[in-house]
Amino acid sequence: NGFCGDYTIGETLRSSSHMSIEPTSEQAIQAIGSLDQHDFAFIKRSDGSYTYAILAYRSMEPVQGAGNNDKAASVEECMTFVMSEAGATKMVRRRH
């Protein structure tokens, strides 16, 4: 479940040895797919740092900028993580 007792939600990664890094893209996709609601993970921020967060929920969301011609192709799986104790969230998109 990714729980790290030394971290609290919103804390920045202190050492890359504290998180698992998958050697291939396929293994990374499998690891992401195995996350369940309330599992913990380090999520990459826009500034390149990683923050300890918890998976709040998964959802299917419209693809940004997609037309309405093919509804099946215009949605993608998203994971919403709680990024801070104050409740800030980040949605991570994963195209199907």
Side-chain angles (χ1 to χ4, degrees):
N1 71 8
F3 178 72
C4 264
D6 294 343
Y7 284 91
T8 59
I9 292 177
E11 217 176 328
T12 301
L13 179 69
R14 295 185 295 269
S15 170
S16 60
S17 68
H18 296 167
M19 69 177 185
S20 60
I21 300 171
E22 301 300 332
T24 68
S25 295
E26 292 83 19
Q27 288 173 321
I29 290 169
Q30 283 182 332
I32 291 165
S34 72
L35 288 175
D36 292 321
Q37 187 176 14
H38 302 141
D39 279 352
F40 293 89
F42 286 101
I43 304 302
K44 190 172 187 177
R45 304 302 300 258
S46 56
D47 67 1
S49 67
Y50 288 85
T51 297
Y52 191 63
I54 187 169
L55 177 59
Y57 60 90
R58 292 176 181 264
S59 60
M60 297 301 288
E61 301 292 334
V63 174
Q64 295 175 344
N68 291 330
N69 296 343
D70 183 4
K71 291 188 186 283
S74 63
V75 295
E76 59 190 347
E77 181 182 20
C78 296
M79 295 176 287
T80 299
F81 290 88
V82 177
M83 303 293 290
S84 72
E85 289 185 2
T89 61
K90 178 174 183 174
M91 182 181 290
V92 177
R93 295 177 176 271
R94 186 175 137 196
R95 285 222 164 97
H96 280 281

